Amino acid sequence: MENSTRSDGRAADALRPVSLQPGIAPNASGSVLIRFGHTQVICAATLENNVPRWMREQKVEGGWMTAEYSMLPYSTHDRKPRDISKGRLDGRTVEIQRLIGRSLRAVADLSKLPGMTLCIDCDVLQADGGTRTASITGAYVAAELALRRAIAEGKLKESPLRQAVAAVSVGLLGDTPLLDLCYTEDRDARVDANIVMTGDGRFVEVQASGEESTFSPSEMAALTALAEKGLVELFAAQQAALA
Amino acid sequence: MENSTRSDGRAADALRPVSLQPGIAPNASGSVLIRFGHTQVICAATLENNVPRWMREQKVEGGWMTAEYSMLPYSTHDRKPRDISKGRLDGRTVEIQRLIGRSLRAVADLSKLPGMTLCIDCDVLQADGGTRTASITGAYVAAELALRRAIAEGKLKESPLRQAVAAVSVGLLGDTPLLDLCYTEDRDARVDANIVMTGDGRFVEVQASGEESTFSPSEMAALTALAEKGLVELFAAQQAALA
Amino acid sequence: MENSTRSDGRAADALRPVSLQPGIAPNASGSVLIRFGHTQVICAATLENNVPRWMREQKVEGGWMTAEYSMLPYSTHDRKPRDISKGRLDGRTVEIQRLIGRSLRAVADLSKLPGMTLCIDCDVLQADGGTRTASITGAYVAAELALRRAIAEGKLKESPLRQAVAAVSVGLLGDTPLLDLCYTEDRDARVDANIVMTGDGRFVEVQASGEESTFSPSEMAALTALAEKGLVELFAAQQAALA
Amino acid sequence: MENSTRSDGRAADALRPVSLQPGIAPNASGSVLIRFGHTQVICAATLENNVPRWMREQKVEGGWMTAEYSMLPYSTHDRKPRDISKGRLDGRTVEIQRLIGRSLRAVADLSKLPGMTLCIDCDVLQADGGTRTASITGAYVAAELALRRAIAEGKLKESPLRQAVAAVSVGLLGDTPLLDLCYTEDRDARVDANIVMTGDGRFVEVQASGEESTFSPSEMAALTALAEKGLVELFAAQQAALA
Amino acid sequence: MENSTRSDGRAADALRPVSLQPGIAPNASGSVLIRFGHTQVICAATLENNVPRWMREQKVEGGWMTAEYSMLPYSTHDRKPRDISKGRLDGRTVEIQRLIGRSLRAVADLSKLPGMTLCIDCDVLQADGGTRTASITGAYVAAELALRRAIAEGKLKESPLRQAVAAVSVGLLGDTPLLDLCYTEDRDARVDANIVMTGDGRFVEVQASGEESTFSPSEMAALTALAEKGLVELFAAQQAALA
Amino acid sequence: MENSTRSDGRAADALRPVSLQPGIAPNASGSVLIRFGHTQVICAATLENNVPRWMREQKVEGGWMTAEYSMLPYSTHDRKPRDISKGRLDGRTVEIQRLIGRSLRAVADLSKLPGMTLCIDCDVLQADGGTRTASITGAYVAAELALRRAIAEGKLKESPLRQAVAAVSVGLLGDTPLLDLCYTEDRDARVDANIVMTGDGRFVEVQASGEESTFSPSEMAALTALAEKGLVELFAAQQAALA
């Protein structure tokens, strides 16, 4: 891969420094503060003894995993008004929290969570691009911590999580594929993709999108390969935090 | 591709019968009733002489294209309550209408729509899977009709649309890749993807998602290839309707 | 009645061309596209196996009939924002859908709809005056089709509808009483009335209203007589569509 | 008219005792407490130096008159939750406040209210049937008081009200036409009508409605005649209160 | 206490004229119109045979007392838009109605109200400062009337109210402590306090607040003493109204 | 003061361990994580170049300070649903954020903040009683940090804050006055007070409240004295954090 001149001097195929600090929210069942460079997200998992109404009404067996995502008003340089000030969630927030939830459920056996809901809250403390991929990557760690604790406390027999899940962003800045875009890179990219993958290298979600631009099948392949490289490092960081 | 036993006898790589009936909504600037098998969507484009508030406030030049999507309450076998009865759009609707808008903008030169907004409404009259891909495919035709009329009436100098855009769904039912899923196939598929492409064969959006499932890179490649085959036929159907 | 110079050359006591096209919404239990001249309304009836909460709570026997009314955004020359964009129904919409519901219930024996609700959705595809009267006239046909199907399928023993119901608008343009006003006539009329009547010539609703104007008892009588004339033709059109 | 056995001993063609007590809300420009038997409504008119946004946007000349209607929670035997507890007005409230506004505008020359809005608030203190007709009858008196005061204070040159407006309910209980229905009569009536009339005997609104019932043209005529009789007495009561 | 030059000539330690007129809202279980000078509040108590959902869910024994507060739109010189026009209660309204509810519950033995809720509605008819203290003082009288009636009708064995509760405002205008502030005094005061007290001289609530100002402990003591003087008179007025 | 047996072994007049960690939210103008024992609140101040609409409309000079308060869903043992899930703020939240705003404005000279708004966000990370007093105490530090930075960057000439402000809770558990109540103490206390004070010992707010209980003037005095003792320590902790 060619040399790149990214604002922070990273190689085009380099992640930003990643850190995971467990226990940030002590009242949650499991929590972690995840950092992708300047991006910081509080991920907190709570296990509740009930399931959503639609599951009760449709008599669906097993449990549920869901997520909520929010940007704290001081996470951006210009203060971002709270969702409540408009009375409703914006479209971007809804898309992100649905994506986080689907990502976790893709690696879960919900029958092992009978009558319970695991809710993962992801609150962005500082935003510098990649908040949704950091959220997914941290959400898995928070979920795993909450489930281990529930098993230790005898509330759960075995973990419903079959393996790890993590996510990373990739994009095309001009013709250069970049890994793990920061805010300015994300703003300038003509194609932006988010790849969610399992610990054993299978896709959960592939979302590639050109806002006022398009991309070729071979560009798509290059982006996917770049993401896979970054995800290997993220899985290692998750395991280190859980050790 | 192997023989398939789809409920309607189609081959795994066959589209459902496609039809486009222009003029369904006479008061719109351009409109079409698109059918993908039993799925029917009214697509209607209106050209307005103003731009969204954020463009005025940020003094962005040019125009805008946007979309709204709704399922009519009688489009499903069990009556679907209107969005207004809950007071807000659900997450799925928000995702779909954002996707339709992005798809059109990806093939548009918005500087050729000065001070104007083209709004495409997509109302599902009958739902049988693929409503979002039918909406995108029909939205392009409705938009083209509205723009041609605006040019004919002297309101616009040239078309902001650089080329066609269309979309199709593909999925994995067990291990079989299927093209253009109907409702029951979509419900049973373990992986569901929507591919939005331009007339010259470049991607606009690639969205592949495994709900409680995952997929390999080679499965992803098979799905993409299958979509490309179907999209060629959809571009032909669009051109026929516009001729 | 004196000669009139209506924009479409109609006599003062003439309806616009009426047509009823059954089956427009195949997933509904019964549906029809009704046209009063340029006005087009999709009327779709769905039969559901439950009753409103207030009936359950107050232990009211029998069933219910209700209606929802909406103008599709592209039904008017200037795009009409969807109700959901304001988060609530406007007053006019609420009045119209309550009127449609009352009109149907006036000719119904709700005890013959035990534990069921018949919901009629009326979505205006093109608006040119008289959308509420077209909605009522079409709603009866959609309801009748849905009920016949339910009887044929053994879900219902006999029809709760005792007879037909239809509606027409009349108004005073200056001193001239006009039948079935189109949009420009409705806008310019000083008195506007909507008459809902049963197949055997009894009133269900009489609503006459002078916006910034008033009218004498004899003017009221002339309007009523004119409406009765038009309603005879509408009942015939309904029966033809149902034959 | 035959003898009747109404719960309060009234003749079928008799109003309940009417009273109008001006000045109930001292901070309003004009106010009155109107009583139709046990029904009590506070009617308060406020004159404001602005017009609704739609008038400014459409550059409509002159002024506006509008009304708001509400039932105080303790106006009924079972406490009625406030509108705000549901977050929106119910359909009945919307219909009534639109009717009050139209009734006043029908007797107004809005060009004599340049740049001003007269808002009439009608809050039901005690409900026993006829709250909308009492509201209209009281609203006229409150409006007249507010306008007289504005003229006296030099804020207005002449009154925009051309004449009085009042309203009364009539209905069919079985086959008997009754004037000015109390709550239990209204509940049991098979046809319910509200007639709004001007001081010189012209109609403003005629609304007759059969809930799960119908009525003949001759029944309609009998109801209208009965209402006219009652309205003569109401105009006299208004003039006495304004003297 | 020094001589004062209050706009209405009152001494600094004098209440405005107080009056309580029972029976203002005949359909309520108990009601009173309370006047503190020009301030007028309708206080109406309704006893209902149910408890809030949280009590049922948490299986809390006994009953509940709650309050709702609203300013009628014509209570102020400039018409105050209704809460419903914004779709939600403002912060001040929420604070006041929570305070009224707490004040009543502080003198109540809720176990003597088994399975019932006493709801006190306080609607301000005319606002001239002190609407929250007038509301509390009137709410006690309305509640007492409703409870006496319930006991007389055999619905309740004994009163849950242990003693009277009343409230008064005090404030610092410059350095002068004033009792029972009218609107202009309240607006100009640098410290504003509301004191809620029981008939036997114990505090229920002490709320003192300096908006863009502060106050010393000795000023706090002076204000409290002044309030106690006024409250003795208010308890006497309550007893006279209940006699 | 008598010996106490508080759950954490504290003396009745002892604060919980207090800590203030500046810089928790790097994108805010000033931020601090404040801890009162297990209670943790993120306080973040943002300075914006505009003022609320009411100031512009009423042409009020100077600037504004305001606050928003929220409990993160994982701050409590049982997950607390976000405000947005109900679509509106609850009454308690509104009261608290209004109190935080008033407390800051009481020590501010808003003329020194021309055309600017300082918004302090307080998000509770862990809740164990005293979240509103911790919020006020931390809000002052976050505000001071933001203002110092604005002065250093030349955006502001001098600080609008005249002195420090802090808050502490006190309460009566039985007859024992306790300082700085944790959650279980707060739940069991019969009287709960929050005292907001300036660095030079003047009150900003005194709020004492007996839920289903009352308190004497001498008990009020004891609580106030206890609060003053704790506040001295809080002012010292603030200064240490700012040094």
Side-chain angles (χ1 to χ4, degrees):
Chain A
M1 185 154 289
E2 65 195 291
N3 278 343
S4 116
T5 50
R6 301 177 79 166
S7 60
D8 55 2
R10 268 189 290 160
D13 64 348
L15 293 177
R16 291 173 287 179
V18 175
S19 82
L20 291 129
Q21 172 190 334
I24 182 75
N27 275 347
S29 312
S31 68
V32 72
L33 177 67
I34 187 165
R35 288 187 179 87
F36 277 19
H38 293 305
T39 289
Q40 294 188 38
V41 185
I42 303 169
C43 301
T46 321
L47 193 61
E48 296 186 312
N49 280 315
N50 55 56
V51 291
R53 197 166 59 172
W54 66 264
M55 287 185 72
R56 289 195 305 272
E57 286 176 358
Q58 298 176 26
K59 306 201 184 200
V60 176
E61 296 288 307
W64 192 244
M65 290 190 185
T66 186
E68 297 193 1
Y69 168 94
S70 179
M71 293 182 72
L72 288 163
Y74 36 82
S75 62
T76 48
H77 279 101
D78 293 331
R79 185 175 179 276
K80 187 177 184 301
R82 290 172 192 267
D83 298 321
I84 192 69
S85 71
K86 289 165 301 181
R88 55 185 186 75
L89 294 178
D90 59 31
R92 177 185 168 275
T93 295
V94 170
E95 279 189 22
I96 294 176
Q97 62 191 22
R98 282 161 56 94
L99 175 61
I100 303 170
R102 278 201 310 273
S103 297
L104 282 166
R105 290 193 300 272
V107 292
D109 177 350
L110 293 172
S111 71
K112 294 185 179 163
L113 205 59
M116 286 178 252
T117 296
L118 186 71
C119 181
I120 326 285
D121 287 285
C122 299
D123 287 278
V124 179
L125 185 57
Q126 191 173 17
D128 186 32
T131 62
R132 86 185 67 189
T133 52
S135 292
I136 292 168
T137 307
Y140 165 70
V141 174
E144 186 67 36
L145 289 171
L147 293 167
R148 287 184 185 181
R149 180 166 154 188
I151 292 167
E153 291 174 350
K155 294 176 185 163
L156 207 62
K157 247 193 289 190
E158 53 181 327
S159 176
L161 289 176
R162 285 186 286 242
Q163 57 178 311
V165 65
V168 79
S169 72
V170 282
L172 285 172
L173 198 71
D175 292 333
T176 312
L178 296 182
L179 179 64
D180 187 23
L181 283 62
C182 72
Y183 172 73
T184 53
E185 292 170 341
D186 184 73
R187 186 194 57 198
D188 298 336
R190 65 177 178 84
V191 176
D192 178 35
N194 292 290
I195 310 293
V196 187
M197 198 167 241
T198 62
D200 63 355
R202 291 172 66 83
F203 293 126
V204 171
E205 294 259 346
V206 174
Q207 294 190 340
S209 174
E211 173 79 28
E212 301 174 35
S213 179
T214 59
F215 51 104
S216 69
S218 67
E219 286 171 330
M220 180 74 208
L223 290 173
T224 308
L226 191 55
E228 288 181 62
K229 176 180 179 305
L231 284 159
V232 170
E233 296 175 47
L234 291 175
F235 290 120
Q238 287 177 329
Q239 295 316 314
L242 286 169
Chain B
M1 186 154 287
E2 67 194 289
N3 280 341
S4 115
T5 48
R6 300 177 80 167
S7 60
D8 55 2
R10 268 190 289 161
D13 63 350
L15 293 177
R16 291 174 287 179
V18 175
S19 82
L20 291 128
Q21 172 189 337
I24 183 76
N27 276 347
S29 313
S31 66
V32 72
L33 177 68
I34 188 166
R35 288 188 179 86
F36 277 19
H38 293 306
T39 290
Q40 295 188 37
V41 185
I42 303 168
C43 300
T46 321
L47 193 62
E48 297 185 311
N49 280 314
N50 56 56
V51 292
R53 199 165 60 172
W54 67 264
M55 287 185 72
R56 289 195 304 272
E57 285 176 359
Q58 298 175 27
K59 306 201 184 195
V60 176
E61 296 288 308
W64 192 242
M65 290 189 186
T66 186
E68 297 193 1
Y69 168 95
S70 178
M71 293 181 71
L72 289 164
Y74 35 84
S75 62
T76 47
H77 279 101
D78 293 332
R79 186 175 178 277
K80 188 178 184 300
R82 292 172 191 265
D83 299 320
I84 192 68
S85 71
K86 289 165 299 182
R88 54 182 188 77
L89 294 179
D90 59 31
R92 177 184 167 278
T93 295
V94 171
E95 279 189 24
I96 293 176
Q97 62 190 23
R98 282 161 56 93
L99 174 61
I100 303 170
R102 278 201 312 272
S103 298
L104 282 166
R105 290 193 300 272
V107 293
D109 177 350
L110 293 172
S111 71
K112 296 186 178 161
L113 206 58
M116 285 178 254
T117 296
L118 186 71
C119 181
I120 323 292
D121 287 284
C122 299
D123 287 278
V124 179
L125 185 58
Q126 191 173 19
D128 186 31
T131 64
R132 87 185 67 189
T133 52
S135 293
I136 292 167
T137 306
Y140 166 71
V141 173
E144 187 67 36
L145 289 171
L147 293 166
R148 288 183 184 183
R149 180 166 154 186
I151 292 168
E153 293 174 349
K155 293 176 186 163
L156 207 62
K157 245 193 291 190
E158 54 182 326
S159 175
L161 288 176
R162 285 186 286 242
Q163 58 178 311
V165 64
V168 78
S169 71
V170 281
L172 286 172
L173 197 71
D175 292 333
T176 312
L178 296 183
L179 178 66
D180 186 23
L181 283 62
C182 70
Y183 172 72
T184 53
E185 291 170 341
D186 185 73
R187 185 193 60 199
D188 297 337
R190 66 176 178 82
V191 176
D192 178 35
N194 292 291
I195 311 292
V196 187
M197 200 166 240
T198 63
D200 63 355
R202 291 174 66 83
F203 292 125
V204 171
E205 293 260 346
V206 174
Q207 295 190 340
S209 176
E211 174 79 28
E212 301 176 34
S213 179
T214 60
F215 50 104
S216 69
S218 67
E219 285 170 330
M220 180 74 207
L223 289 174
T224 308
L226 190 55
E228 289 181 61
K229 175 179 180 306
L231 285 158
V232 170
E233 297 175 46
L234 291 175
F235 290 121
Q238 288 177 329
Q239 295 315 316
L242 286 168
Chain C
M1 184 154 288
E2 66 194 289
N3 278 343
S4 117
T5 50
R6 302 177 78 165
S7 60
D8 55 2
R10 267 191 290 161
D13 63 349
L15 293 176
R16 291 175 285 180
V18 176
S19 82
L20 291 128
Q21 173 189 335
I24 182 75
N27 275 348
S29 313
S31 67
V32 73
L33 177 67
I34 187 166
R35 288 186 179 90
F36 277 18
H38 294 305
T39 290
Q40 294 189 37
V41 185
I42 303 168
C43 300
T46 321
L47 194 61
E48 296 186 311
N49 280 314
N50 57 56
V51 291
R53 197 165 62 172
W54 65 265
M55 285 185 74
R56 289 195 304 272
E57 285 176 359
Q58 299 176 26
K59 305 198 185 201
V60 176
E61 295 289 308
W64 191 242
M65 290 189 186
T66 185
E68 296 193 2
Y69 169 95
S70 179
M71 292 181 73
L72 288 164
Y74 35 83
S75 62
T76 49
H77 280 101
D78 293 332
R79 185 174 179 279
K80 189 179 184 298
R82 290 172 193 267
D83 299 320
I84 192 69
S85 71
K86 290 165 300 181
R88 55 182 186 76
L89 295 178
D90 59 31
R92 177 184 167 277
T93 296
V94 171
E95 280 189 24
I96 293 176
Q97 63 190 22
R98 283 161 55 93
L99 174 62
I100 303 170
R102 279 201 309 274
S103 297
L104 282 167
R105 291 193 299 273
V107 293
D109 177 350
L110 294 172
S111 71
K112 294 184 178 162
L113 205 59
M116 285 177 252
T117 295
L118 186 72
C119 181
I120 325 286
D121 287 284
C122 298
D123 286 277
V124 179
L125 186 58
Q126 190 174 18
D128 186 32
T131 63
R132 87 185 67 188
T133 52
S135 292
I136 292 168
T137 307
Y140 166 71
V141 173
E144 187 68 37
L145 289 171
L147 293 167
R148 287 183 185 181
R149 180 165 154 188
I151 292 168
E153 291 174 350
K155 292 177 186 163
L156 206 61
K157 247 193 290 189
E158 54 182 325
S159 176
L161 290 176
R162 284 186 287 242
Q163 58 178 312
V165 65
V168 79
S169 71
V170 281
L172 286 172
L173 198 71
D175 291 335
T176 311
L178 296 182
L179 179 66
D180 187 22
L181 284 61
C182 71
Y183 172 72
T184 53
E185 292 170 341
D186 185 72
R187 185 195 60 199
D188 298 336
R190 64 177 178 84
V191 176
D192 179 35
N194 292 291
I195 311 292
V196 187
M197 200 167 240
T198 62
D200 63 355
R202 292 173 65 84
F203 293 125
V204 170
E205 292 260 344
V206 174
Q207 294 191 341
S209 175
E211 173 78 30
E212 301 175 34
S213 178
T214 60
F215 50 105
S216 68
S218 67
E219 286 172 330
M220 180 74 208
L223 290 173
T224 308
L226 191 55
E228 288 181 62
K229 176 180 177 307
L231 285 159
V232 170
E233 296 174 47
L234 292 174
F235 290 121
Q238 287 176 330
Q239 295 316 315
L242 286 167
Chain D
M1 186 155 287
E2 67 193 291
N3 279 344
S4 113
T5 48
R6 301 177 79 166
S7 61
D8 55 2
R10 268 190 290 161
D13 63 350
L15 294 176
R16 291 174 287 179
V18 175
S19 82
L20 290 129
Q21 174 189 335
I24 183 76
N27 276 347
S29 312
S31 67
V32 72
L33 177 67
I34 188 166
R35 288 187 179 87
F36 277 18
H38 293 306
T39 290
Q40 295 188 36
V41 185
I42 302 169
C43 300
T46 320
L47 194 61
E48 296 186 311
N49 280 314
N50 56 55
V51 291
R53 197 165 61 172
W54 66 265
M55 286 185 73
R56 288 195 306 272
E57 286 177 357
Q58 300 176 24
K59 306 202 182 197
V60 176
E61 295 288 307
W64 192 241
M65 290 189 185
T66 186
E68 296 192 2
Y69 168 94
S70 178
M71 292 182 74
L72 289 164
Y74 35 83
S75 62
T76 47
H77 279 102
D78 292 332
R79 186 174 179 278
K80 187 179 184 301
R82 291 173 192 265
D83 298 320
I84 192 67
S85 71
K86 290 164 300 181
R88 55 183 188 78
L89 294 178
D90 59 31
R92 177 185 167 276
T93 294
V94 171
E95 279 190 24
I96 293 177
Q97 61 190 22
R98 282 162 56 93
L99 175 62
I100 303 171
R102 280 201 309 272
S103 297
L104 282 166
R105 290 192 300 273
V107 293
D109 177 350
L110 293 172
S111 72
K112 295 186 178 162
L113 205 58
M116 286 178 253
T117 295
L118 186 71
C119 182
I120 325 284
D121 287 285
C122 299
D123 286 278
V124 179
L125 185 58
Q126 190 173 18
D128 186 31
T131 63
R132 86 184 68 188
T133 52
S135 293
I136 292 168
T137 307
Y140 165 71
V141 172
E144 187 66 37
L145 289 170
L147 293 167
R148 287 183 185 182
R149 180 165 153 188
I151 291 169
E153 291 174 350
K155 293 177 186 162
L156 206 63
K157 246 194 291 191
E158 53 181 327
S159 176
L161 289 176
R162 284 187 287 243
Q163 58 177 312
V165 64
V168 78
S169 71
V170 281
L172 286 172
L173 199 72
D175 293 333
T176 312
L178 295 183
L179 179 65
D180 186 23
L181 283 62
C182 71
Y183 171 72
T184 52
E185 291 170 342
D186 185 72
R187 186 194 59 199
D188 297 338
R190 65 178 177 83
V191 177
D192 178 35
N194 292 290
I195 311 292
V196 186
M197 200 167 240
T198 62
D200 64 355
R202 290 173 67 83
F203 292 125
V204 171
E205 293 260 344
V206 174
Q207 294 190 340
S209 175
E211 174 79 29
E212 302 175 34
S213 178
T214 59
F215 51 104
S216 68
S218 66
E219 285 171 332
M220 180 73 208
L223 289 174
T224 309
L226 190 56
E228 289 182 61
K229 177 180 178 305
L231 284 158
V232 171
E233 296 176 47
L234 291 175
F235 290 121
Q238 287 177 329
Q239 295 314 316
L242 287 168
Chain E
M1 184 152 292
E2 66 194 290
N3 278 343
S4 115
T5 49
R6 302 177 78 166
S7 59
D8 56 0
R10 268 190 290 161
D13 63 348
L15 294 176
R16 290 174 286 179
V18 175
S19 83
L20 291 129
Q21 173 189 335
I24 183 74
N27 274 348
S29 312
S31 68
V32 72
L33 177 68
I34 187 165
R35 287 187 180 88
F36 277 19
H38 292 306
T39 290
Q40 295 188 37
V41 185
I42 304 169
C43 300
T46 320
L47 193 61
E48 297 186 311
N49 280 314
N50 57 56
V51 292
R53 197 166 61 171
W54 65 264
M55 287 184 72
R56 289 196 304 271
E57 285 176 358
Q58 299 175 25
K59 305 201 184 196
V60 177
E61 296 288 308
W64 191 244
M65 290 189 185
T66 186
E68 296 192 2
Y69 168 95
S70 178
M71 292 181 72
L72 289 164
Y74 36 82
S75 62
T76 48
H77 279 100
D78 293 331
R79 186 174 179 279
K80 187 178 185 299
R82 292 173 192 264
D83 299 320
I84 192 69
S85 70
K86 289 165 299 181
R88 56 183 186 77
L89 294 179
D90 60 31
R92 177 184 167 276
T93 295
V94 172
E95 280 190 23
I96 293 177
Q97 62 190 23
R98 283 162 54 94
L99 174 62
I100 303 170
R102 280 202 308 274
S103 297
L104 282 166
R105 290 193 299 271
V107 293
D109 177 350
L110 293 172
S111 71
K112 295 185 177 162
L113 204 60
M116 285 178 252
T117 295
L118 187 70
C119 181
I120 326 284
D121 288 284
C122 299
D123 287 277
V124 179
L125 185 58
Q126 191 173 16
D128 186 33
T131 63
R132 87 185 66 189
T133 52
S135 292
I136 292 168
T137 306
Y140 165 70
V141 173
E144 187 67 36
L145 289 171
L147 293 166
R148 286 183 186 182
R149 180 165 153 187
I151 292 168
E153 292 174 349
K155 294 175 186 164
L156 207 63
K157 245 194 288 189
E158 53 182 326
S159 176
L161 289 176
R162 285 187 286 242
Q163 58 178 310
V165 64
V168 79
S169 71
V170 282
L172 285 172
L173 198 71
D175 292 334
T176 311
L178 295 182
L179 178 66
D180 187 22
L181 282 63
C182 71
Y183 172 72
T184 53
E185 292 170 341
D186 185 72
R187 185 195 59 199
D188 298 336
R190 65 176 178 85
V191 176
D192 178 35
N194 292 291
I195 310 292
V196 186
M197 200 167 240
T198 61
D200 64 355
R202 291 173 67 85
F203 292 126
V204 170
E205 294 260 345
V206 174
Q207 294 191 341
S209 175
E211 173 79 29
E212 301 174 36
S213 179
T214 59
F215 51 103
S216 69
S218 67
E219 285 171 331
M220 180 74 207
L223 289 174
T224 308
L226 191 55
E228 289 182 60
K229 178 180 176 304
L231 284 158
V232 170
E233 296 175 46
L234 291 175
F235 290 121
Q238 287 177 329
Q239 296 315 314
L242 287 167
Chain F
M1 185 154 289
E2 67 196 287
N3 278 343
S4 113
T5 49
R6 302 177 79 165
S7 60
D8 55 2
R10 270 191 288 161
D13 63 350
L15 294 176
R16 290 173 288 179
V18 175
S19 82
L20 291 127
Q21 172 189 336
I24 182 76
N27 275 348
S29 313
S31 68
V32 72
L33 177 67
I34 188 166
R35 287 189 180 86
F36 278 18
H38 293 306
T39 290
Q40 296 189 37
V41 186
I42 303 169
C43 301
T46 321
L47 194 61
E48 297 186 311
N49 280 314
N50 57 55
V51 292
R53 196 165 63 170
W54 66 264
M55 287 185 73
R56 288 196 305 273
E57 285 177 358
Q58 300 175 27
K59 303 196 186 204
V60 177
E61 297 287 308
W64 191 243
M65 291 189 185
T66 186
E68 296 193 2
Y69 168 95
S70 179
M71 293 181 72
L72 288 164
Y74 36 83
S75 62
T76 48
H77 279 101
D78 292 332
R79 186 175 178 279
K80 187 178 184 302
R82 291 172 193 265
D83 298 321
I84 192 69
S85 70
K86 289 165 302 182
R88 54 182 188 76
L89 295 178
D90 60 30
R92 177 184 167 277
T93 295
V94 172
E95 280 189 24
I96 292 176
Q97 62 190 22
R98 282 162 56 93
L99 175 62
I100 303 170
R102 279 202 310 273
S103 297
L104 282 166
R105 290 193 300 271
V107 293
D109 177 350
L110 293 172
S111 71
K112 295 185 178 161
L113 204 59
M116 284 177 254
T117 296
L118 187 71
C119 181
I120 326 283
D121 287 285
C122 299
D123 286 279
V124 179
L125 186 57
Q126 191 173 18
D128 186 32
T131 64
R132 86 185 67 188
T133 52
S135 292
I136 292 168
T137 305
Y140 166 71
V141 173
E144 187 67 36
L145 289 170
L147 293 167
R148 287 183 185 181
R149 180 166 155 188
I151 291 168
E153 292 174 351
K155 293 178 185 161
L156 207 62
K157 245 193 289 189
E158 54 181 327
S159 175
L161 289 176
R162 285 187 286 244
Q163 59 178 311
V165 64
V168 79
S169 72
V170 282
L172 286 171
L173 198 70
D175 293 333
T176 313
L178 296 182
L179 180 65
D180 187 23
L181 282 63
C182 71
Y183 172 72
T184 52
E185 292 170 341
D186 185 72
R187 186 194 59 199
D188 297 337
R190 66 176 176 84
V191 177
D192 178 35
N194 291 291
I195 311 291
V196 187
M197 198 167 241
T198 63
D200 64 355
R202 292 174 66 83
F203 292 125
V204 170
E205 293 260 346
V206 174
Q207 294 191 341
S209 175
E211 174 79 26
E212 301 176 32
S213 178
T214 60
F215 50 105
S216 68
S218 67
E219 286 171 331
M220 179 75 207
L223 288 174
T224 308
L226 190 57
E228 288 181 62
K229 176 180 178 304
L231 284 159
V232 171
E233 295 175 48
L234 291 175
F235 290 121
Q238 287 177 329
Q239 295 315 316
L242 287 168

